[in-house]
Amino acid sequence: MAEHEEGFLLTRFDSLMNSVRRTVGAKAMDIGAPVVNWARASALWPMTFGLACCAIEMIATGAGRFDIDRFGAGVFRPSPRQSDLIIIAGTVTLKMGPVVRRVFDQMPEPKWVISMGACASTGGPFDSYSTMQGVDRTIPVDVYIPGCPPRPEALLYGLMRLQDIIMREAPSAYIFDSDGTVHRQRSFEGEDQLQIAQANEAARIALAAK
């Protein structure tokens, strides 16, 4: 809380607005979840971003033969501030890791990440001192696409699976606080039952070990 009166009032106003966002705004967005999620899934704007040889396959996916525009994701943007999807296509080195993180942080919420190819997902054949063993060590990944390199059909399939994820999300998951942080909570069908089953299996294994 600020010491002077103006800062005190602004802090109170921010708290009030955040409360309204969480209570009224979040519930209103969740009511229209199918429409909001359909709009987000049908109008993905990937960023023009390629690191290595997998980027050639990503470029081919945007060409006429495969036509990623059919899925509403052909508008490759030149700036992270205009993008909501980043496709990590190629080898990520340790030196490039902070740059990838900076680009990801500049993207507005909601945003998603596709890790394309073995190098981006696990480091590929480059188990060396200079290669990051998976881009998920620096940014969160939503969909992994295996292959070295994966064909354009694989990228289209990964894009469709990302659209499935978006359709299952709660639109109110992206709620900003006054300090700029994002509380991202996703709701999936049957997620509670899966967690209960995993807990029961863990308990069964623990009892068997005794």
Side-chain angles (χ1 to χ4, degrees):
M1 185 177 296
E3 296 179 357
H4 52 85
E5 184 177 357
E6 182 182 358
F8 173 80
L9 292 176
L10 287 176
T11 304
R12 289 295 183 185
F13 179 76
D14 287 342
S15 301
L16 178 61
M17 290 303 297
N18 286 331
S19 177
V20 171
R21 262 192 216 111
R22 293 193 189 96
T23 55
V24 180
K27 286 183 173 57
M29 286 189 69
D30 287 340
I31 291 174
V35 177
V36 175
N37 289 338
W38 172 81
R40 289 176 174 174
S42 302
L44 290 169
W45 285 10
M47 185 187 165
T48 307
F49 187 80
L51 292 176
C53 40
C54 279
I56 304 299
E57 300 294 325
M58 181 178 66
I59 294 169
T61 310
R65 180 178 178 183
F66 302 98
D67 194 14
I68 199 174
D69 276 304
R70 293 176 296 161
F71 303 93
V75 187
F76 282 85
R77 305 306 300 166
S79 169
R81 292 176 179 84
Q82 301 172 358
S83 308
D84 54 10
L85 170 63
I86 182 170
I87 303 173
I88 306 298
T91 310
V92 183
T93 61
L94 295 177
K95 193 173 183 179
M96 193 65 183
V99 179
V100 174
R101 180 69 195 193
R102 187 181 311 146
V103 171
F104 176 78
D105 290 338
Q106 290 175 352
M107 295 169 59
E109 291 282 351
K111 55 189 174 184
W112 300 276
V113 178
I114 291 180
S115 177
M116 182 179 179
C119 290
S121 300
T122 63
F126 305 108
D127 188 8
S128 63
Y129 69 94
S130 61
T131 304
M132 183 177 294
Q133 303 302 301
V135 72
D136 52 5
R137 300 193 178 192
T138 183
I139 60 175
V141 177
D142 296 285
V143 174
Y144 295 89
I145 301 176
C148 183
R151 284 189 52 82
E153 294 93 341
L155 178 57
L156 293 178
Y157 182 79
L159 178 67
M160 289 187 287
R161 298 291 72 79
L162 177 61
Q163 290 174 329
D164 292 340
I165 291 175
I166 296 173
M167 289 301 296
R168 294 196 301 266
E169 285 185 343
S172 62
Y174 307 93
I175 299 176
F176 288 83
D177 278 345
S178 57
D179 59 354
T181 58
V182 179
H183 297 282
R184 185 172 181 178
Q185 300 175 356
R186 291 176 171 172
S187 61
F188 296 95
E189 295 180 4
E191 185 176 14
D192 295 337
Q193 290 79 0
L194 178 61
Q195 291 178 352
I196 292 173
Q198 290 175 344
N200 292 337
E201 182 65 17
R204 186 187 66 79
I205 295 173
L207 289 175
K210 292 181 180 180

